[in-house]
Amino acid sequence: MTEPLPTIRLRNAWRSNHPWIFQKLVDKPVPRPKPGSIVDIVGQDGVWIGRGFYNGHSRIALRILETDPDVAVDEAWFAAKIAAAVQLRREVLDLDAVSSAWRVVHSEGDGLSGLVVDRYDDLLVVEFFSAGMFRHREWIYAALRAQFPGCRFHSAADEHVQKQESFDFHGTSGTEAATITEHGIRFSADPAGAHKTGFFADQRDNREWLSHRCRDKRVLDLCCNTGGFGVYAAVRGASEVVGIDIDEAVLEIARGNARLNHVRPRFVQADIFPWLRDAAANGEQFDVVVLDPAKMTRDREQVINALKKYLDMNKLALGVVKPGGLLATFSCTGLVSEEQFLDMLRRAAFYAGRTVQVLKVSGAGPDHPFLAHVQESRYLKAVFCRVLD
């Protein structure tokens, strides 16, 4: 017989369908289950609410995974959830026709709180954001192998996540890069040699849309990372492409991506702030400017400071856009809302003395779904503007 699961009781009434329950709402169990254990959750009145992960060390004490009392959260449950996530990408979204790189699992968006999986051809990059997912990683690997026979794994967990969730993982080392194709353009995805996964599939649709407005244009790709936007622009016929990033290691990958596609953008190692000031002082102007910085903060107390940084860099970027040119500006800071980001852009345009016409507001591709009641999974803001004067 299967042993009964530990039961965790809430100390307050629960009137939400959000999968997270915070520590202050939970009675401390005795004995306390290990971080990431699967538990049954009951309300203040003892009525069963759901089944999920418990972590007495994390701010998020409970992550609800299942709300049907007759369904066990076991290896078969993980296999079914991951199969459903893959089916969405392959059969509904038909992503294999577009790219060999796409998000396989998007945490709460696929009902798998604390798990992110990205596919780069035969390489699957698995990121753990909860102790529960890390604790049950062998079930996850088995489910992924069933969907992607012969796949390779690169696994990781950010240090701050490990500290918050109380688990220890050194990640995969020595992973060989994969070569992927996206809208006919080739890239190297190198999770061992670049930031995060080595390539950001969330920008696929944004790269494609913008690139078709770059023919015969002078393009500036700021915070270019491994060159996604810049290489796209060059392939689509831009007259000149300049990519700027402070990290020389990712620029080497960007140069390799350019060679894969037989194009020659110019990649420069520099801090964008002094570089943009110098460019403006020298009268440099570009037809298309892309600004795609890394996440600014994970701390709610630092959101105002993050918005100030976005304001400064967008103001400087606007200073080098040719009248009538395009600015594509992005934020992947989940704590910054779309409304806040658009308000920042309004202020940046005012301080730069430019008139900005917003053409399109978007986010990550459809392989990054979010539940209507779990907005936390919606992190990427993309704003495409025309600078009128």
Side-chain angles (χ1 to χ4, degrees):
M1 278 182 68
T2 305
E3 287 188 21
L5 295 173
T7 298
I8 306 296
R9 182 184 293 267
L10 304 189
R11 63 172 59 163
N12 299 97
W14 182 246
R15 298 186 184 90
S16 173
N17 58 353
H18 197 289
W20 298 351
I21 302 179
F22 292 96
Q23 203 69 245
K24 64 184 180 181
L25 301 176
V26 177
D27 274 338
K28 289 183 180 177
V30 179
R32 185 182 293 188
K34 292 180 179 178
S37 296
I38 297 170
V39 299
D40 279 323
I41 304 155
V42 299
Q44 191 181 26
D45 55 4
V47 174
W48 191 88
I49 289 173
R51 191 166 284 133
F53 296 139
Y54 173 73
N55 191 337
H57 297 277
S58 172
R59 193 169 67 94
I60 303 172
L62 293 163
R63 295 173 184 263
I64 299 174
L65 301 173
E66 182 56 61
T67 55
D68 184 338
D70 297 325
V71 175
V73 177
D74 54 14
E75 186 169 7
W77 183 91
F78 276 87
K81 279 285 186 183
I82 288 173
V86 173
Q87 182 184 35
L88 168 66
R89 276 76 175 173
R90 286 197 152 139
E91 296 181 19
V92 179
L93 302 177
D94 196 21
L95 285 172
D96 283 332
V98 174
S99 178
S100 58
W102 33 270
R103 178 147 292 183
V104 178
V105 173
H106 189 53
S107 197
E108 286 81 13
D110 288 294
L112 289 155
S113 181
L115 178 67
V116 169
V117 182
D118 287 296
R119 177 216 171 184
Y120 300 103
D121 197 56
D122 70 324
L123 175 63
L124 298 184
V125 177
V126 182
E127 292 186 274
F128 301 109
F129 291 91
S130 72
M133 288 301 174
F134 176 71
R135 187 177 181 84
H136 298 89
R137 61 193 179 280
E138 294 305 325
W139 290 355
I140 293 165
Y141 294 144
L144 290 168
R145 285 189 192 99
Q147 299 297 319
F148 302 94
C151 66
R152 300 181 288 135
F153 291 114
H154 178 92
S155 300
D158 287 346
E159 282 186 21
H160 81 280
V161 170
Q162 295 185 48
K163 186 176 180 180
Q164 287 174 353
E165 289 281 319
S166 191
F167 68 93
D168 186 32
F169 182 51
H170 298 296
T172 311
S173 60
T175 305
E176 287 189 22
T179 300
I180 64 96
T181 303
E182 185 181 278
H183 290 294
I185 301 173
R186 301 177 74 206
F187 292 96
S188 174
D190 186 1
H195 180 64
K196 297 288 282 183
T197 59
F199 186 73
F200 295 111
D202 54 1
Q203 292 279 27
R204 178 195 318 106
D205 296 349
N206 297 325
R207 283 188 286 262
E208 173 70 358
W209 188 87
L210 186 65
S211 69
H212 288 288
R213 285 140 190 92
C214 292
R215 178 169 293 281
D216 300 324
K217 305 295 186 186
R218 191 171 190 230
V219 178
L220 175 63
D221 185 4
L222 298 165
C223 305
C224 66
N225 198 258
T226 58
F229 281 100
V231 170
Y232 257 82
V235 170
R236 300 283 192 247
S239 59
E240 181 187 358
V241 177
V242 180
I244 311 292
D245 203 283
I246 201 164
D247 187 343
E248 182 59 37
V250 298
L251 290 177
E252 275 305 304
I253 298 172
R255 294 181 186 109
N257 286 333
R259 288 191 292 272
L260 278 174
N261 294 281
H262 311 291
V263 291
R264 300 187 67 177
R266 179 164 62 93
F267 291 109
V268 179
Q269 191 274 326
D271 182 323
I272 66 165
F273 288 95
W275 192 93
L276 283 168
R277 290 188 189 100
D278 290 345
N282 294 331
E284 292 267 18
Q285 291 194 318
F286 295 84
D287 300 291
V288 179
V289 174
V290 180
L291 176 58
D292 186 19
K295 182 186 289 188
M296 292 292 181
T297 186
R298 298 182 178 91
D299 184 350
R300 288 187 185 279
E301 303 299 318
Q302 294 299 316
V303 167
I304 298 301
N305 286 336
L307 285 165
K308 287 177 180 176
K309 290 179 185 174
Y310 281 123
L311 177 66
D312 289 343
M313 62 177 62
N314 277 272
K315 181 177 69 174
L316 289 170
L318 282 164
V320 296
V321 182
K322 188 180 292 185
L326 299 179
L327 170 70
T329 183
F330 303 92
S331 165
C332 62
T333 305
L335 293 173
V336 170
S337 70
E338 184 179 286
E339 183 181 9
Q340 287 174 312
F341 192 63
L342 287 168
D343 183 62
M344 174 283 303
L345 182 61
R346 175 189 63 79
R347 290 183 292 121
F350 174 78
Y351 290 125
R354 310 301 298 270
T355 302
V356 165
Q357 179 185 43
V358 175
L359 306 178
K360 174 181 163 80
V361 178
S362 67
D367 48 335
H368 294 65
F370 63 93
L371 298 176
H373 60 285
V374 191
Q375 292 284 325
E376 287 84 353
S377 299
R378 184 177 182 238
Y379 64 96
L380 182 65
K381 280 74 61 178
V383 183
F384 299 89
C385 317
R386 191 159 170 254
V387 182
L388 298 180
D389 53 20

